[in-house]
Amino acid sequence: MTDQTLLRRAIRPLPTLAAAALAALLAACSAFSGGGAPAALPAGLSARMDQPGASLDKAQALGLVNAYRASVGAGALTADAGLEAQAQQLANQYAASGTSPRTPEGVAAMRSSAGYATFAETFSGWRNSSPDAAALATAGARRAGLAVAANPNSAYGVHWVLLLGQ
């Protein structure tokens, strides 16, 4: 067998694997009930953070990030109280100033976003941006801190920060 034949045989399953990974990601991003009708997203992912008393379900949000990471071959993240506190401080500053925060020293990756009212929207924006998607899949990251801050007087209203640590 020639090297080209071996290469073709090795590459042939890649489209199938890519399709399977995409299907897994889509399943993680949107659930379907019987009959093929779209089911509502879990409340923790679709709750509007610009409403009084809004509360982010960080476990569900991290679960969505981890489903994405699994689909691209990255390891799962665990919630880290120290990173969450740091992310909350940065989100609060972001909401107050309107200036996107800089990645803190010692943090493997940071994503920030403003203007999305729900985590589902925020995650979708990150996932569909090549630099953001690459950051979500940062190799070696094992811990995460996620925070949101709303400021009705700011141009964007809701501000998000995700920190990834080793």
Side-chain angles (χ1 to χ4, degrees):
M1 240 183 253
T2 68
D3 288 343
Q4 285 184 336
T5 303
L6 288 172
L7 181 60
R8 280 189 204 116
R9 285 187 178 173
I11 292 174
R12 193 172 297 150
L14 290 180
T16 303
L17 292 173
L22 180 60
L25 178 60
L26 291 174
C29 293
S30 62
F32 288 88
S33 61
L41 282 172
L45 300 178
S46 60
R48 293 187 59 92
M49 295 294 111
D50 57 355
Q51 300 300 309
S55 177
L56 174 63
D57 187 325
K58 292 180 183 180
Q60 286 182 353
L62 187 57
L64 185 58
V65 172
N66 279 332
Y68 174 76
R69 286 176 60 84
S71 77
V72 297
L77 301 167
T78 58
D80 180 273
L83 285 175
E84 284 188 5
Q86 192 173 19
Q88 190 63 62
Q89 181 182 21
L90 292 170
N92 292 343
Q93 290 171 355
Y94 190 13
S97 70
T99 302
S100 186
R102 293 178 186 244
T103 303
E105 194 171 317
V107 169
M110 180 184 80
R111 293 295 90 189
S112 61
S113 188
Y116 296 111
T118 72
F119 183 74
E121 294 169 341
T122 303
F123 175 77
S124 182
W126 288 340
R127 183 194 63 219
N128 291 323
S129 161
S130 294
D132 291 339
L136 289 173
T138 298
R142 296 290 175 255
R143 302 175 300 118
L146 176 64
V148 59
N151 179 352
N153 298 318
S154 73
Y156 294 103
V158 181
H159 301 75
W160 300 87
V161 173
L162 172 67
L163 299 177
L164 303 182
Q166 303 294 333

